Amino acid sequence: MADIAATEQTPVSMLRREQRKKRYYSIGIVLPCLVLAMFALIPFLSPSYKTLDLALKIIIFASLVASFDIMLGYTGILSFGHGMFFGIGAYCVAFLNGKYGDPTYFHLFLGLLLAVAVACVLALIVSLISLRVKAIFFAMITLALAELTIVLANKLSHFTGGEDGISISLPGIFSAAFNPGSFLGLDISGRVITYYFILLACLGLFALMLRFTHSPLGRVLQAIRDNTDRAEALGYKTFYFQTLSIVLGCTVAAMTGGLYAMWVGYVNPESTLEVMAIMLNVLLMVIIGGMGTLYGGIVGAAFLLITQTFLPDLQKIAIDLFPNASLLHTILERWLLLFGILFILVVIFFPKGVVGSAREFIARARGEAFFSS
């Protein structure tokens, strides 16, 4: 028996065993755990509303960008209507917890389920109409649908609240008035509980997308992205795989929209359905983080939201520190110019996005170490 066991120890099996042992200590596991721990500790380290709001928006938009990356980075499908699904999710929660329903747990979770159902059906219909012709038609149709949705949200004011929007009330432990006491010096309020609820929900969505992209199905999607004709020649029905990718991406976008509505407590067409504002931000986040990486969404969302939050304050700091430097005040007043310069620098030094370029650098370094040894 010992001889038989010894004969099963092939070099390939030994290499795989070593890889399995090391995978729990790799940077791909350790770094995400550190990032998750940082977000979990933020309410204890800095419980101010501005910090919590910034941290949670990074979490929500990182999930939204990752869902967009499944379509663009992993499948090669460009959509201009991803913000529309984000808005649909927000409105579904707002309808059942503000305009047409009382704030109850049932209505809250029913609103999230309704967002998933509506996004799933709409994404399926759009895919069936557009993907059979050319992938570019999907981009055009989603752009037209997104614009139509904004018009309907504004015109059907008796149904959607129009430009005034809808205010949302949350039930029980999620309401702002809920306050059972403190824990380790942190005042446990409804906002803090909502923060952790959304953090866990986004973690679950992110885990789902990671499992999806690392499955054999995800590898088929990457094959379709790289060469659709070759994938079809290998026998894969690319239409079904593309449709599945779109439905998953749009469904996750709707969920993030519902969670966003929970946090901000208010929805209107400008904040949740605006094509240019939301889609431009999502595209910038994907480019900065790196397409086809998923984790790049966290980097892109953090970079964009942090710079948008703190760059406008630089002028006040400069006025306090250098009251006579009028030229510096004028430059810092136009903080969008500084943001543009930062974005150009990121694109120049990280042509595949921050995460994509970092992965390439690490892979190259490991290759040099292997050959040198």
Side-chain angles (χ1 to χ4, degrees):
M1 293 295 291
D3 294 338
I4 295 174
T7 56
E8 293 177 351
Q9 298 295 323
T10 64
V12 174
S13 64
M14 293 172 66
L15 178 62
R16 288 180 177 173
R17 189 177 295 112
E18 287 298 320
Q19 289 176 341
R20 282 197 293 271
K21 288 180 181 177
K22 293 179 179 177
R23 65 180 176 179
Y24 296 108
Y25 306 100
S26 65
I27 191 171
I29 298 294
V30 174
L31 192 58
C33 289
L34 290 176
V35 172
L36 177 62
M38 183 191 70
F39 280 112
L41 291 174
I42 279 178
F44 291 93
L45 300 175
S46 179
S48 68
Y49 175 76
K50 185 175 182 179
T51 307
L52 288 183
D53 183 61
L54 176 61
L56 199 63
K57 284 180 179 174
I58 290 174
I59 295 167
I60 292 173
F61 276 91
S63 302
L64 177 65
V65 173
S67 69
F68 183 71
D69 197 26
I70 284 182
M71 297 167 56
L72 181 63
Y74 282 89
T75 318
I77 298 173
L78 177 61
S79 168
F80 290 115
H82 214 60
M84 174 186 68
F85 291 96
F86 181 80
I88 286 173
Y91 267 93
C92 286
V93 171
F95 284 150
L96 293 179
N97 293 272
K99 193 172 179 65
Y100 301 109
D102 298 325
T104 62
Y105 294 114
F106 175 73
H107 285 158
L108 178 61
F109 291 105
L110 184 63
L112 292 173
L113 288 177
L114 182 63
V116 170
V118 173
C120 187
V121 172
L122 186 58
L124 194 60
I125 292 173
V126 174
S127 302
L128 292 174
I129 293 173
S130 58
L131 280 182
R132 285 194 179 278
V133 188
K134 281 285 184 183
I136 189 64
F137 283 94
F138 182 83
M140 296 296 103
I141 288 179
T142 51
L143 177 61
L145 275 177
E147 292 290 350
L148 177 63
T149 306
I150 295 173
V151 173
L152 291 176
N154 281 302
K155 296 297 182 185
L156 302 176
S157 57
H158 61 284
F159 178 64
T160 63
E163 295 180 354
D164 295 334
I166 302 171
S167 296
I168 301 170
S169 299
L170 295 178
I173 60 172
F174 300 119
S175 66
F178 183 76
N179 192 341
S182 61
F183 177 71
L184 295 178
L186 173 66
D187 189 23
I188 305 297
S189 62
R191 300 293 293 179
V192 173
I193 294 174
T194 306
Y195 175 92
Y196 282 109
F197 173 78
I198 295 176
L199 175 62
L200 289 176
C202 288
L203 179 64
L205 292 174
F206 212 89
L208 172 68
M209 290 185 283
L210 272 177
R211 184 70 188 88
F212 179 79
T213 53
H214 285 80
S215 68
L217 180 60
R219 296 187 183 90
V220 174
L221 294 179
Q222 293 175 52
I224 294 172
R225 174 200 62 192
D226 294 337
N227 194 322
T228 305
D229 295 334
R230 185 183 300 168
E232 288 178 348
L234 289 172
Y236 293 110
K237 296 184 181 300
T238 57
F239 172 78
Y240 296 114
F241 288 101
Q242 289 174 322
T243 301
L244 186 59
S245 170
I246 291 168
V247 170
L248 177 65
C250 295
T251 302
V252 174
M255 279 291 292
T256 57
L259 297 173
Y260 179 79
M262 278 185 66
W263 180 249
V264 298
Y266 173 76
V267 299
N268 71 347
E270 185 179 357
S271 64
T272 57
L273 285 169
E274 187 62 42
V275 175
M276 293 307 297
I278 295 177
M279 282 312 302
L280 183 61
N281 283 343
V282 170
L283 280 171
L284 288 176
M285 291 172 186
V286 169
I287 293 171
I288 292 169
M291 285 192 289
T293 60
L294 278 192
Y295 288 115
I298 302 173
V299 177
F303 176 86
L304 196 71
L305 293 175
I306 289 174
T307 51
Q308 287 181 346
T309 302
F310 290 106
L311 277 181
D313 295 336
L314 284 180
Q315 188 190 18
K316 298 176 184 175
I317 298 173
I319 291 174
D320 293 336
L321 296 177
F322 309 102
N324 298 322
S326 57
L327 178 61
L328 180 63
H329 301 165
T330 305
I331 293 174
L332 294 179
E333 185 182 10
R334 294 165 175 79
W335 64 272
L336 280 174
L337 176 65
L338 297 177
F339 174 77
I341 294 172
L342 286 174
F343 178 72
I344 292 171
L345 290 175
V346 169
V347 172
I348 290 174
F349 290 104
F350 302 97
K352 293 184 178 180
V354 175
V355 175
S357 298
R359 282 181 175 177
E360 187 182 48
F361 175 78
I362 292 171
R364 194 179 301 164
R366 285 177 176 172
E368 289 173 359
F370 174 76
F371 287 114
S372 62
S373 63

